């Protein structure tokens, strides 16, 4: 990523791009906007990220890491296996209340670029598959039957995805609470 540019400058460029993409979308933000926002020369910008595709990939990698750290920390704070599944929705509610929340960056990137950028489509799919595997691991701690746990995980992940999209459109945190209540019902049904 940043062979000719120091890590601090590369990170500043990535963070600037992330903020601009979140606020205005991936397609509407040009490299010149990012250069200006990061306070670097165009030469330095392209030395760090040879093209916008590489910069988008770096932004999404950063979002993936942030997501994983946040969800993992929230889940780790819960003690009971059932609570570990439900606390995900509490994490979502907190995220939805952040002033910078504009929906899932992977859904947004896929919506804007997935049809024309196989790389972005693959990054978005990999992120969603990673989350699905994570939820499946949590569900396996709650439901003994592997097939039932897998089905429950798919349902819970869909609730989380739907809550993200609905919260972004509505500008409200309530979808996380609704999803949490639905998740509790699904968990209870799967464990009967």
């Amino acid at each position: 990523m940043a062979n000719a540019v120091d890590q601090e400058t590369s990170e500043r460029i990535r963070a600037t791009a992330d903020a601009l993409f979140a606020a205005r979308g991936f397609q509407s933000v040009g490299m010149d906007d990012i250069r200006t926002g990061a306070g670097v020369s165009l030469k330095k910008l392209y030395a760090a990220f040879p093209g916008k595709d590489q910069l988008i990939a770096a932004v999404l990698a950063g979002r993936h890491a942030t997501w994983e750290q946040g969800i993992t920390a929230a889940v780790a704070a819960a003690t009971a296996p059932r609570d570990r599944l439900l606390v995900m929705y509490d994490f979502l509610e907190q995220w939805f209340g952040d002033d910078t929340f504009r929906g899932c960056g992977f859904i947004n990137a896929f919506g804007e670029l997935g049809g024309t950028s196989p790389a972005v489509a693959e990054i978005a799919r990999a992120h969603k598959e990673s989350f699905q595997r994570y939820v499946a691991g949590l569900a396996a701690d709650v439901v003994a039957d592997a097939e039932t746990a897998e089905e429950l995980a798919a349902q819970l992940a869909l609730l989380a995805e739907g809550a993200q999209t609905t919260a972004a459109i509505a500008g409200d945190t309530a979808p996380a609470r609704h999803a949490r209540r639905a998740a509790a019902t699904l968990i209870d049904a799967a464990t009967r």
Side-chain angles (χ1 to χ4, degrees):
M1 164 174 84
N3 299 344
V5 177
D6 64 89
Q7 192 63 34
E8 183 182 319
T9 300
S10 293
E11 179 52 29
R12 186 171 71 247
I13 293 167
R14 191 205 59 77
T16 299
D18 191 4
L20 289 170
F21 292 153
R24 297 179 16 209
F26 291 89
Q27 291 182 346
S28 69
V29 174
M31 293 298 269
D32 198 49
D33 297 319
I34 296 163
R35 176 197 61 78
T36 300
V40 297
S41 68
L42 209 50
K43 181 178 179 180
K44 194 169 269 198
L45 173 62
Y46 282 107
F49 300 97
K52 191 173 176 183
D53 290 344
Q54 291 86 355
L55 185 50
I56 290 170
V59 164
L60 292 176
R63 287 184 184 187
H64 179 75
T66 299
W67 167 261
E68 284 195 333
Q69 291 165 1
I71 200 89
T72 301
V75 168
T79 54
R82 181 181 187 276
D83 293 341
R84 287 187 203 109
L85 286 168
L86 294 174
V87 77
M88 291 187 306
Y89 303 96
D90 300 335
F91 171 76
L92 290 176
E93 184 173 11
Q94 184 179 20
W95 179 37
F96 299 166
D98 187 293
D99 289 342
T100 63
F101 176 71
R102 300 287 182 274
C104 172
F106 295 89
I107 293 171
N108 296 344
F110 185 84
E112 281 191 60
L113 304 169
T116 58
S117 173
V120 167
E122 181 52 38
I123 291 167
R125 281 187 198 100
H127 173 74
K128 297 304 179 182
E129 289 168 3
S130 172
F131 178 58
Q132 179 69 43
R133 283 190 309 274
Y134 183 73
V135 176
L138 296 174
D141 291 340
V142 175
V143 179
D145 178 68
E147 192 174 313
T148 304
E150 201 63 35
E151 178 69 17
L152 176 62
Q155 294 167 347
L156 297 179
L158 280 173
L159 282 173
E161 299 295 347
Q164 290 174 57
T165 303
T166 304
I169 293 168
D172 189 6
T173 62
R177 292 188 300 280
H178 300 307
R180 189 186 201 284
R181 285 193 294 274
T185 300
L186 289 168
I187 294 165
D188 292 344
T191 55
R192 279 193 196 111

